[in-house]
Short mmCIF file of all heavy atoms in Angstrom, two decimals:
data_model
loop_
_atom_site.label_atom_id
_atom_site.label_comp_id
_atom_site.label_asym_id
_atom_site.label_seq_id
_atom_site.Cartn_x
_atom_site.Cartn_y
_atom_site.Cartn_z
N GLY A 1 179.19 66.41 96.92
CA GLY A 1 178.63 65.05 96.93
C GLY A 1 177.46 64.82 95.99
O GLY A 1 177.42 65.32 94.90
N GLY A 2 176.55 64.00 96.42
CA GLY A 2 175.28 63.77 95.76
C GLY A 2 175.33 63.53 94.26
O GLY A 2 176.35 63.66 93.61
N SER A 3 174.20 63.19 93.72
CA SER A 3 174.11 62.95 92.29
C SER A 3 173.92 64.26 91.55
O SER A 3 173.38 65.22 92.08
CB SER A 3 172.96 62.00 92.00
OG SER A 3 171.75 62.59 92.40
N ARG A 4 174.36 64.27 90.31
CA ARG A 4 174.24 65.47 89.47
C ARG A 4 173.16 65.24 88.45
O ARG A 4 173.00 64.13 87.94
CB ARG A 4 175.56 65.77 88.77
CG ARG A 4 176.63 66.13 89.76
CD ARG A 4 177.85 66.64 89.02
NE ARG A 4 178.91 66.84 89.97
CZ ARG A 4 180.05 66.19 89.98
NH1 ARG A 4 180.30 65.29 89.06
NH2 ARG A 4 180.96 66.42 90.89
N ILE A 5 172.45 66.29 88.13
CA ILE A 5 171.40 66.20 87.11
C ILE A 5 172.02 66.61 85.78
O ILE A 5 172.77 67.58 85.70
CB ILE A 5 170.18 67.05 87.49
CG1 ILE A 5 169.03 66.79 86.54
CG2 ILE A 5 170.52 68.51 87.56
CD1 ILE A 5 167.70 67.28 87.04
N THR A 6 171.72 65.86 84.75
CA THR A 6 172.30 66.13 83.44
C THR A 6 171.41 67.11 82.67
O THR A 6 170.24 67.32 83.01
CB THR A 6 172.42 64.84 82.61
OG1 THR A 6 171.11 64.35 82.33
CG2 THR A 6 173.24 63.79 83.35
N ASP A 7 171.97 67.69 81.62
CA ASP A 7 171.19 68.59 80.76
C ASP A 7 170.01 67.85 80.14
O ASP A 7 168.92 68.42 80.00
CB ASP A 7 172.07 69.20 79.66
CG ASP A 7 173.04 70.24 80.19
OD1 ASP A 7 172.86 70.69 81.34
OD2 ASP A 7 173.96 70.62 79.44
N ASP A 8 170.21 66.59 79.78
CA ASP A 8 169.11 65.80 79.22
C ASP A 8 167.98 65.62 80.23
O ASP A 8 166.80 65.69 79.87
CB ASP A 8 169.60 64.44 78.75
CG ASP A 8 170.43 64.52 77.47
OD1 ASP A 8 170.31 65.54 76.74
OD2 ASP A 8 171.18 63.57 77.19
N GLN A 9 168.34 65.40 81.48
CA GLN A 9 167.32 65.24 82.51
C GLN A 9 166.56 66.55 82.72
O GLN A 9 165.34 66.54 82.88
CB GLN A 9 167.96 64.79 83.83
CG GLN A 9 168.44 63.36 83.80
CD GLN A 9 169.26 63.01 85.03
OE1 GLN A 9 170.11 63.77 85.47
NE2 GLN A 9 168.99 61.84 85.58
N ILE A 10 167.28 67.66 82.70
CA ILE A 10 166.63 68.97 82.84
C ILE A 10 165.68 69.20 81.67
O ILE A 10 164.53 69.60 81.86
CB ILE A 10 167.68 70.10 82.92
CG1 ILE A 10 168.43 70.02 84.25
CG2 ILE A 10 167.02 71.47 82.76
CD1 ILE A 10 169.61 70.94 84.35
N ASN A 11 166.14 68.91 80.46
CA ASN A 11 165.28 69.08 79.29
C ASN A 11 164.04 68.20 79.37
O ASN A 11 162.94 68.62 79.00
CB ASN A 11 166.06 68.77 78.01
CG ASN A 11 167.12 69.82 77.72
OD1 ASN A 11 167.01 70.97 78.16
ND2 ASN A 11 168.14 69.44 76.98
N ASP A 12 164.21 66.98 79.87
CA ASP A 12 163.07 66.07 80.02
C ASP A 12 162.07 66.61 81.04
O ASP A 12 160.86 66.59 80.80
CB ASP A 12 163.57 64.69 80.43
CG ASP A 12 162.46 63.67 80.50
OD1 ASP A 12 161.68 63.57 79.52
OD2 ASP A 12 162.37 62.97 81.52
N LEU A 13 162.57 67.12 82.16
CA LEU A 13 161.69 67.68 83.19
C LEU A 13 160.96 68.92 82.68
O LEU A 13 159.77 69.10 82.95
CB LEU A 13 162.50 68.00 84.45
CG LEU A 13 163.04 66.80 85.22
CD1 LEU A 13 164.01 67.26 86.30
CD2 LEU A 13 161.91 65.98 85.80
N VAL A 14 161.65 69.76 81.95
CA VAL A 14 161.03 70.97 81.39
C VAL A 14 159.94 70.57 80.39
O VAL A 14 158.85 71.15 80.37
CB VAL A 14 162.09 71.89 80.74
CG1 VAL A 14 161.45 72.98 79.92
CG2 VAL A 14 162.98 72.50 81.82
N SER A 15 160.22 69.56 79.60
CA SER A 15 159.23 69.07 78.64
C SER A 15 157.98 68.53 79.35
O SER A 15 156.85 68.79 78.93
CB SER A 15 159.86 67.98 77.78
OG SER A 15 158.92 67.45 76.90
N LYS A 16 158.19 67.81 80.44
CA LYS A 16 157.06 67.28 81.22
C LYS A 16 156.26 68.42 81.84
O LYS A 16 155.03 68.37 81.86
CB LYS A 16 157.57 66.32 82.29
CG LYS A 16 158.04 65.00 81.73
CD LYS A 16 158.60 64.10 82.81
CE LYS A 16 159.10 62.80 82.21
NZ LYS A 16 159.70 61.93 83.22
N LEU A 17 156.95 69.43 82.35
CA LEU A 17 156.26 70.60 82.89
C LEU A 17 155.42 71.28 81.82
O LEU A 17 154.28 71.67 82.06
CB LEU A 17 157.28 71.62 83.43
CG LEU A 17 157.60 71.63 84.90
CD1 LEU A 17 158.62 72.71 85.20
CD2 LEU A 17 156.37 71.77 85.75
N GLN A 18 155.98 71.41 80.65
CA GLN A 18 155.28 72.06 79.54
C GLN A 18 153.96 71.33 79.23
O GLN A 18 152.95 71.97 78.95
CB GLN A 18 156.16 72.11 78.30
CG GLN A 18 155.51 72.82 77.13
CD GLN A 18 156.44 72.93 75.92
OE1 GLN A 18 157.62 72.60 76.00
NE2 GLN A 18 155.90 73.38 74.81
N GLN A 19 153.98 70.01 79.32
CA GLN A 19 152.78 69.24 79.04
C GLN A 19 151.71 69.42 80.11
O GLN A 19 150.52 69.20 79.86
CB GLN A 19 153.13 67.75 78.92
CG GLN A 19 153.99 67.43 77.73
CD GLN A 19 153.38 67.87 76.42
OE1 GLN A 19 152.22 67.60 76.15
NE2 GLN A 19 154.14 68.60 75.62
N LEU A 20 152.11 69.85 81.30
CA LEU A 20 151.15 70.06 82.39
C LEU A 20 150.50 71.44 82.36
O LEU A 20 149.48 71.64 83.01
CB LEU A 20 151.86 69.88 83.74
CG LEU A 20 152.36 68.48 84.06
CD1 LEU A 20 153.19 68.50 85.33
CD2 LEU A 20 151.20 67.51 84.18
N LEU A 21 151.08 72.35 81.61
CA LEU A 21 150.58 73.73 81.60
C LEU A 21 149.59 73.95 80.46
O LEU A 21 149.95 73.82 79.30
CB LEU A 21 151.75 74.70 81.47
CG LEU A 21 152.79 74.64 82.59
CD1 LEU A 21 154.00 75.48 82.23
CD2 LEU A 21 152.17 75.10 83.89
N PRO A 22 148.35 74.30 80.80
CA PRO A 22 147.35 74.51 79.75
C PRO A 22 147.79 75.56 78.72
O PRO A 22 147.54 75.40 77.53
CB PRO A 22 146.12 75.01 80.51
CG PRO A 22 146.33 74.57 81.91
CD PRO A 22 147.81 74.51 82.12
N GLU A 23 148.46 76.58 79.16
CA GLU A 23 148.89 77.66 78.27
C GLU A 23 149.90 77.18 77.22
O GLU A 23 149.93 77.68 76.11
CB GLU A 23 149.52 78.78 79.11
CG GLU A 23 149.77 80.06 78.36
CD GLU A 23 148.50 80.80 78.00
OE1 GLU A 23 147.48 80.61 78.70
OE2 GLU A 23 148.54 81.57 77.04
N LEU A 24 150.71 76.20 77.58
CA LEU A 24 151.76 75.72 76.68
C LEU A 24 151.46 74.35 76.09
O LEU A 24 152.11 73.93 75.13
CB LEU A 24 153.10 75.67 77.42
CG LEU A 24 153.62 77.00 77.96
CD1 LEU A 24 154.92 76.79 78.72
CD2 LEU A 24 153.80 78.01 76.85
N ARG A 25 150.49 73.66 76.63
CA ARG A 25 150.18 72.30 76.18
C ARG A 25 149.72 72.28 74.72
O ARG A 25 150.01 71.34 74.00
CB ARG A 25 149.09 71.69 77.05
CG ARG A 25 148.87 70.23 76.81
CD ARG A 25 147.79 69.63 77.68
NE ARG A 25 147.89 70.08 79.05
CZ ARG A 25 146.84 70.37 79.81
NH1 ARG A 25 145.62 70.24 79.35
NH2 ARG A 25 147.00 70.76 81.06
N GLU A 26 149.01 73.32 74.31
CA GLU A 26 148.50 73.37 72.94
C GLU A 26 149.61 73.54 71.91
O GLU A 26 149.40 73.37 70.73
CB GLU A 26 147.49 74.51 72.78
CG GLU A 26 146.15 74.25 73.46
CD GLU A 26 146.14 74.66 74.92
OE1 GLU A 26 146.69 75.73 75.25
OE2 GLU A 26 145.56 73.92 75.73
N ARG A 27 150.81 73.91 72.36
CA ARG A 27 151.92 74.16 71.44
C ARG A 27 153.09 73.21 71.67
O ARG A 27 154.22 73.64 71.79
CB ARG A 27 152.43 75.59 71.63
CG ARG A 27 151.37 76.64 71.50
CD ARG A 27 151.98 78.00 71.60
NE ARG A 27 152.22 78.35 72.99
CZ ARG A 27 152.81 79.47 73.37
NH1 ARG A 27 153.26 80.30 72.47
NH2 ARG A 27 152.98 79.74 74.63
N PRO A 28 152.85 71.90 71.74
CA PRO A 28 153.96 71.00 72.04
C PRO A 28 155.05 70.96 70.97
O PRO A 28 156.20 70.69 71.27
CB PRO A 28 153.29 69.63 72.19
CG PRO A 28 152.04 69.74 71.40
CD PRO A 28 151.62 71.19 71.47
N SER A 29 154.67 71.24 69.73
CA SER A 29 155.67 71.18 68.66
C SER A 29 156.54 72.44 68.62
O SER A 29 157.64 72.42 68.10
CB SER A 29 155.00 70.97 67.31
OG SER A 29 154.12 72.05 67.04
N ASP A 30 156.01 73.53 69.17
CA ASP A 30 156.79 74.77 69.21
C ASP A 30 157.93 74.63 70.21
O ASP A 30 157.77 74.04 71.28
CB ASP A 30 155.93 75.96 69.64
CG ASP A 30 154.90 76.34 68.59
OD1 ASP A 30 154.99 75.81 67.47
OD2 ASP A 30 154.01 77.15 68.90
N LYS A 31 159.05 75.19 69.87
CA LYS A 31 160.19 75.18 70.79
C LYS A 31 160.00 76.32 71.77
O LYS A 31 159.96 77.49 71.39
CB LYS A 31 161.50 75.35 70.00
CG LYS A 31 162.73 75.30 70.85
CD LYS A 31 162.92 73.91 71.42
CE LYS A 31 164.21 73.89 72.21
NZ LYS A 31 164.29 72.78 73.11
N VAL A 32 159.82 75.99 73.03
CA VAL A 32 159.62 76.98 74.09
C VAL A 32 160.83 76.88 75.01
O VAL A 32 161.24 75.79 75.40
CB VAL A 32 158.32 76.70 74.88
CG1 VAL A 32 158.12 77.72 75.96
CG2 VAL A 32 157.12 76.68 73.94
N SER A 33 161.38 78.02 75.36
CA SER A 33 162.57 78.02 76.21
C SER A 33 162.24 77.51 77.61
O SER A 33 161.10 77.62 78.08
CB SER A 33 163.17 79.42 76.30
OG SER A 33 162.32 80.27 77.05
#
């Protein structure tokens, strides 16, 4: 059932998480897995 999360949504959430982390925030242009 239920709704499915898309790869784009996962990528967006990961990007938002990255912006919240001081360790990774300084490197927004770097591609981080």
